[in-house]
Amino acid sequence: MADPFAVTNQAPPLRGVNFFTQDAALGDALRPYADLAGDPGLHRIGELAGSEEARAHALPANQNPPVLRTHDRYGNRIDEVEFHPSWHWLMERAVGFGLQAAPWTSDRPSPHLARAAGFYLWSQVEPGHGCPISMTYAAVPALRADERLAKEWVPQLASTEYDVRRLPVAAKNGVLAGMGMTEKQGGSDVRANLTTATPVGDDGEYQLNGHKWFCSAPQVDVFLVLAQAPDGLSCFVVPRVLADGNRNPFALQRLKDKLGNRSNASSEVEFHGTIGYRLGDEGAGVRTIIEMVAATRLDCVLGSAALQRKALIEAIWHTRHRSAFGGLLADKPAMQNVLADLAIESEAATALGMRLAAAVDSPDPKEAAFRRIALPLAKFWVCKRTPFMVAEALECLGGNGYVEESGLPLLYRESPLNSIWEGSGNVNALDVLRALRRPESLEAWLGEMAAVQGADARLDTAVNDVLQALADIENAEAGARRLAAQMALCLQGSLLVRHSTPVVADAFVASRLANDWGGVFGTLPRTTPFDQIVGRAIG
């Protein structure tokens, strides 16, 4: 008889795999815009992301959440956040890879596309530390509203040195950025903010008094903050340390006890005479900070695509090594259908994320119009799909996936986050309607559809259905989510038809656009070549 205490039929850890070279879907998503197959930076990120060393830091960073220290031993207010060493390991490498603001000052070809691919790969290690990386990336386009402030901050934000010292910006080797918009009484309705900003000089200096109910990454060096100035809601640059070396009043009240994203600090903060420097005109706060919001929304899409990808490869890896009912799980027809369906979902998210990143690199006004419509579409749909996708992947591991050591609970807790931050589902669906009122935005979406017109009759029919729905755009708010979902699916379908393999494109269109979708994963048509799709997903 077999030894009942012997450990058998367990999948080995997923390690020693280069996340870049084994991701055929990512390669196809990048290829239309830039030749990055041999990019040494992406190879390096992919290799480290799939290593045992990286895996060893992911769980400790989440199991040991940040700790707030409001005062030192003598009673002095310090308002600092302490992190586990694994957090700093992750951050140091993310900054070193240039995943924060480096693309904005880079002279390499397609810097934002390369950065998007790197962010997607590295986020598969541990998603929480991506928050300050994303905030730093997103701060630069907003800072460019003021030449003086941009000159002061952008070079340090773009630095690839991770410097945690609490010093003025001029004395640091690199800095990171955060954001403070939402307040208790308003949430997404930031125009309801009550924090005040009082001018105290002729150089754009103000004193801020009030609170922020949700301040991202409170440990960083500088924040973009909204407050009510005399002429209306305005945007301000708020440093943690002033030029004279004194700490700016920045009272951390508590850290949020969140569902997921536990490695990352999110806080409530109060301003008591806090110094801020106006960015843009008074009354133009939303218009100014929206540049930051747009960039963070892109990272929400990329981060969700990363969660989908990591969940997918964990599911495939496990089922290829786990036997049940007389054979490997991965060879069972029902499981093959599930895995193939998950692979299609992941590839569609990746393709859309990289298409958006490529548009950031382009100076073409048509690409700006494309971003205006495609970004809220992608933010709505990709982020909304991720919790369902990760839950199904977890189920592929069964009870093994429900325990913390597997890493799947971390992914599952993280999965709703990107659909909430930077505008929840309704906000983004309504942003789609606003974009559609601009002719150039609708033309940009139609241009993507025209590129594949006639290639698949089912996709053509889905596009026509969208056009019929758009006939009553003035009364579309109640159906905004349905419209956003349809337009996002058409966009994903067009990208897969153009740039993926025929089997993936056909399965996506058949299941998502041809009224043959069972509503759950694992309901692809029986004639789908499951083995080809799953084999492509992980090699």
Side-chain angles (χ1 to χ4, degrees):
M1 294 181 63
D3 180 359
F5 299 103
V7 178
T8 60
N9 196 26
Q10 293 291 321
L14 175 61
R15 60 190 176 192
V17 177
N18 189 310
F19 281 8
F20 178 57
T21 57
Q22 61 126 34
D23 194 339
L26 176 60
D28 282 353
L30 295 171
R31 191 171 299 111
Y33 319 111
D35 182 9
L36 296 173
D39 186 88
L42 293 179
H43 278 264
R44 188 166 62 253
I45 295 172
E47 182 178 14
L48 185 58
S51 70
E52 176 63 24
E53 183 181 18
R55 193 179 186 99
H57 284 288
L59 284 178
N62 280 266
Q63 293 165 343
N64 300 274
V67 176
L68 174 61
R69 305 295 185 196
T70 57
H71 296 78
D72 67 13
R73 58 179 290 194
Y74 304 106
N76 298 306
R77 186 106 200 185
I78 57 173
D79 295 298
E80 291 292 352
V81 183
E82 294 180 0
F83 290 86
H84 189 270
S86 288
W87 165 274
H88 293 296
W89 186 92
L90 294 162
M91 287 292 297
E92 185 175 15
R93 278 140 191 86
V95 172
F97 291 140
L99 302 181
Q100 24 57 282
W104 299 108
T105 61
S106 174
D107 57 2
R108 64 160 293 168
S110 304
H112 294 280
L113 180 63
R115 181 262 174 192
F119 184 83
Y120 159 88
L121 291 168
W122 192 244
S123 294
Q124 294 175 46
V125 177
E126 194 286 318
H129 77 289
C131 176
I133 297 300
S134 180
M135 294 287 129
T136 303
Y137 173 72
V140 174
L143 282 166
R144 288 178 171 172
D146 186 296
E147 183 177 355
R148 179 179 62 84
L149 290 170
K151 184 177 180 180
E152 180 181 7
W153 287 99
V154 170
Q156 299 290 62
L157 290 166
S159 169
T160 54
E161 292 191 50
Y162 179 54
D163 186 350
V164 298
R165 297 175 299 164
R166 187 65 73 207
L167 295 171
V169 58
K172 295 201 65 172
N173 298 324
V175 299
L176 298 172
M179 180 197 292
M181 289 199 299
T182 58
E183 298 185 4
K184 299 182 185 76
Q185 72 287 340
S188 296
D189 185 9
V190 295
R191 295 188 185 277
N193 284 1
L194 298 178
T195 296
T196 61
T198 305
V200 293
D202 296 329
D203 60 351
E205 183 177 323
Y206 290 67
Q207 283 191 351
L208 276 58
N209 288 279
H211 82 284
K212 293 298 169 185
W213 182 240
F214 219 104
C215 179
S216 300
Q219 75 279 5
V220 301
D221 303 278
V222 65
F223 299 83
L224 266 60
V225 170
L226 292 179
Q228 297 286 356
D231 286 338
L233 190 65
S234 307
C235 185
F236 297 89
V237 174
V238 177
R240 285 296 305 271
V241 179
L242 301 174
D244 60 9
N246 289 317
R247 289 174 176 254
N248 205 3
F250 198 89
L252 299 180
Q253 300 305 104
R254 63 172 174 170
L255 300 184
K256 297 290 191 180
D257 186 9
K258 297 168 293 183
L259 166 68
N261 199 244
R262 300 189 69 83
S263 68
N264 177 46
S266 304
S267 67
E268 296 172 31
V269 60
E270 287 186 359
F271 304 133
H272 299 277
T274 303
I275 297 299
Y277 300 91
R278 192 185 71 244
L279 182 64
D281 296 330
E282 279 197 11
V286 173
R287 187 168 68 247
T288 301
I289 207 169
I290 201 68
E291 293 293 335
M292 187 176 189
V293 173
T296 52
R297 281 183 174 179
L298 171 59
D299 277 5
C300 286
V301 176
L302 297 171
S304 289
L307 289 172
Q308 290 191 19
R309 173 65 186 174
K310 184 63 185 305
L312 168 68
I313 60 178
E314 291 284 359
I316 295 176
W317 182 265
H318 178 86
T319 56
R320 282 182 173 180
H321 292 88
R322 178 79 165 175
S323 295
F325 309 111
L328 288 174
L329 283 174
D331 293 337
K332 304 297 182 182
M335 181 61 76
Q336 288 181 330
N337 196 324
V338 170
L339 295 174
D341 213 350
L342 294 174
I344 291 168
E345 189 76 25
S346 173
E347 181 160 352
T350 301
L352 184 49
M354 296 307 147
R355 172 67 183 92
L356 281 164
V360 179
D361 279 317
S362 175
D364 189 341
K366 293 181 179 179
E367 288 294 273
F370 171 77
R371 293 198 307 272
R372 180 70 184 86
I373 182 69
L375 190 54
L377 283 174
K379 170 70 165 64
F380 173 82
W381 186 245
V382 173
C383 299
K384 190 69 68 182
R385 290 290 297 164
T386 301
F388 301 101
M389 196 274 193
V390 174
E392 192 68 56
L394 186 154
E395 191 173 326
C396 292
L397 277 70
N400 287 330
Y402 207 69
V403 297
E404 290 292 337
E405 292 92 337
S406 72
L408 270 295
L410 188 162
L411 300 181
Y412 185 65
R413 287 192 298 269
E414 194 79 14
S415 63
L417 178 142
N418 288 321
S419 192
I420 298 170
W421 285 7
E422 314 309 340
S424 58
N426 282 349
V427 171
N428 279 274
L430 294 176
D431 279 350
V432 170
L433 296 186
R434 279 187 281 272
L436 286 170
R437 293 187 173 92
R438 299 184 179 186
E440 66 272 17
S441 296
L442 178 57
E443 288 172 8
W445 184 84
L446 290 172
E448 295 289 308
M449 300 304 106
V452 291
Q453 188 173 12
D456 191 306
R458 299 164 299 183
L459 179 55
D460 291 343
T461 298
V463 172
N464 287 332
D465 290 343
V466 169
L467 295 178
Q468 290 181 18
L470 290 175
D472 190 23
I473 189 65
E474 295 304 320
N475 298 297
E477 181 172 336
R481 282 178 169 236
R482 182 179 182 87
L483 178 62
Q486 289 176 312
M487 294 183 72
L489 284 167
C490 287
L491 185 53
Q492 287 181 319
S494 74
L495 290 168
L496 295 179
V497 167
R498 279 180 282 169
H499 306 312
S500 184
T501 63
V503 292
V504 170
D506 179 71
F508 181 90
V509 173
S511 59
R512 271 68 169 174
L513 295 171
N515 298 318
D516 190 26
W517 199 2
V520 295
F521 287 103
T523 57
L524 295 174
R526 287 177 295 174
T527 55
T528 303
F530 305 128
D531 55 340
Q532 294 182 44
I533 295 173
V534 177
R536 166 183 169 78
I538 197 172

